[in-house]
Amino acid sequence: MKKQLVTIAVALAAVCAQAQTLDAYLKLRKSNGIFQAASVEALDTFVGTKILEIRGIVKGSIRSGKVTAFVVERADGSTSMIETTAPPEWLVGNEVSARLLVRARRGDENGVLHIEWLGAAPEDAVHNIELAEAKKLAAKRQPSPGARHETKRDVFTPPTKAREWIIPASEVTPIYAAYIKKINRKLQSREAMRIAEGVVGFSIHYGVDARLIMALMIAESDFNPRELSRSGAMGLGQLMPGTAKDLGVSNPYDLVENVYGTVKLLSQHLKHYRAKTGEDFQSLCLALAAYNAGPGAVARAGGVPPFRDTQRYVKRVVSLYKQFAGLN
């Protein structure tokens, strides 16, 4: 009995330690303005000094004097060594999926990446909090009776002025659901509504025009949540396994999770190319090309890659978006 009580006490202590670690980590994360993990592309291409959150699997640790170095395997299979003088006990000697807040430095494009440890928390705990917040936003279609809002336009401004969306989310969501079901008649009404709620909710959260998301999903899957490509892309937004994991999507066939990952990825590409080009239409085309062929292909081509499928994809999504936005 005494041995069992000791075991229980140790287990409870571990749980409490992780809870304290999570609380401290979330405060540290918020104080540095971090709300999501950096993509593999962002970590591998930035120059300068940044505080970032990375997602990975701690594969082991090496101790030398007062310094402990953790070996972290990232989503693309590459590994990084992250040193700390105050290692959390729950990570030492274990293989754990974790979020790590780090200060990353790179002198130039070809320079070595230096990573300094700031904090860590269990991946499942952080992901569950993010997913709960995202689903809450997607489900919150109408803040108060009669309230009205417009979609944000800080990420994407179309080449010519689109018709403004000033319809309350509670009114536009059923319209989107009906259109989604028209495109894919095999969907149940409740499935179409969940997809529409995700599109509207995450479009507001990430500042991406909902009509652009609709156009992209038609090009990707025709709103088939069970779509699987020959290359392994999954679900509504055709997320690749590694990309889905990097975005925090644990089940790409879940309707809300896939929409969440799709919009999050698209918003990252739009922001990146808008900052790089300073031009709205060009950034849109490059973002769509990166979504389809990957940012590496865009970088190598110095623009939209000359792949026939990618060229057709960009033209189709832009054409659909113009149609939805009243630009044709």
Side-chain angles (χ1 to χ4, degrees), residues 138-139 141 173-174 176-182 184-199 223 225-226 236 253-256 259:
R141 295 177 293 164
T173 304
Y176 275 40
Y179 185 82
I180 289 168
K181 199 168 189 319
K182 179 181 177 181
N184 183 3
R185 298 185 182 279
K186 294 182 180 180
L187 287 171
Q188 297 179 12
S189 296
R190 60 181 177 79
E191 291 178 313
M193 181 59 77
R194 285 190 71 204
I195 296 170
E197 288 173 343
V199 169
F223 296 114
R226 290 164 281 280
L236 295 163
Y253 294 109
D254 178 85
L255 303 180
V256 176
V259 177

Side-chain angles (χ1 to χ4, degrees), residues 111-132:
V112 177
L113 181 65
H114 298 277
I115 302 177
E116 177 186 348
W117 174 288
L118 296 177
E123 165 62 29
D124 288 346
V126 179
H127 174 64
N128 289 339
I129 289 171
E130 287 181 336
L131 193 56

Side-chain angles (χ1 to χ4, degrees), residues 35-289:
F35 299 98
Q36 62 186 37
S39 65
V40 170
E41 292 85 359
L43 192 62
D44 286 344
T45 58
F46 91 95
V47 174
T49 301
K50 289 184 180 181
I51 293 179
L52 301 167
E53 182 182 64
I54 63 175
R55 175 185 291 110
I57 300 174
V58 177
K59 305 294 287 188
S61 60
I62 303 169
R63 183 159 185 161
S64 177
K66 295 182 179 181
V67 177
T68 298
F70 287 100
V71 181
V72 180
E73 181 181 281
R74 291 154 50 199
D76 61 347
S78 62
T79 58
S80 298
M81 297 289 288
I82 307 178
E83 297 182 349
T84 177
T85 55
E89 292 184 5
W90 60 274
L91 274 181
V92 177
N94 296 311
E95 184 170 312
V96 184
S97 293
R99 295 287 185 97
L100 302 104
L101 202 64
V102 301
R103 181 179 287 107
R105 292 182 292 108
R106 180 183 281 114
D108 55 62
E109 291 183 0
N110 298 315
V112 177
L113 181 65
H114 298 277
I115 302 177
E116 177 186 348
W117 174 288
L118 296 177
E123 165 62 29
D124 288 346
V126 179
H127 174 64
N128 289 339
I129 289 171
E130 287 181 336
L131 193 56
E133 290 176 350
K135 287 184 177 181
K136 188 185 297 182
L137 280 168
K140 192 176 182 181
R141 295 177 293 164
Q142 182 66 15
S144 60
R148 301 175 74 82
H149 58 261
E150 296 182 0
T151 52
K152 297 178 184 177
R153 303 224 178 256
D154 58 337
V155 173
F156 170 69
T157 303
T160 57
K161 187 172 179 60
R163 289 195 297 262
E164 293 293 320
W165 170 20
I166 56 173
I167 305 173
S170 60
E171 293 180 19
V172 78
T173 304
I175 297 173
Y176 275 40
Y179 185 82
I180 289 168
K181 199 168 189 319
K182 179 181 177 181
I183 297 296
N184 183 3
R185 298 185 182 279
K186 294 182 180 180
L187 287 171
Q188 297 179 12
S189 296
R190 60 181 177 79
E191 291 178 313
M193 181 59 77
R194 285 190 71 204
I195 296 170
E197 288 173 343
V199 169
V200 173
F202 294 128
S203 75
I204 295 169
H205 179 62
Y206 285 107
V208 180
D209 195 319
R211 295 165 293 191
L212 178 59
I213 301 166
M214 294 284 282
L216 181 144
M217 286 193 168
I218 289 173
E220 290 290 350
S221 69
D222 278 331
F223 296 114
N224 178 9
R226 290 164 281 280
E227 184 77 12
L228 176 64
S229 74
R230 286 177 295 180
S231 60
M234 299 173 285
L236 295 163
Q238 289 292 274
L239 301 174
M240 293 295 290
T243 303
K245 183 180 178 182
D246 195 36
L247 291 166
V249 176
S250 59
N251 179 10
Y253 294 109
D254 178 85
L255 303 180
V256 176
E257 281 202 64
N258 194 288
V259 177
Y260 160 72
T262 297
V263 181
K264 183 176 178 180
L265 179 61
L266 180 60
S267 72
Q268 289 174 351
H269 288 322
L270 286 168
K271 288 178 182 177
H272 172 73
Y273 292 110
R274 181 66 178 81
K276 189 171 184 178
T277 66
E279 202 281 322
D280 296 316
F281 186 62
Q282 185 182 3
S283 65
L284 169 63
C285 293
L286 293 175
L288 293 174

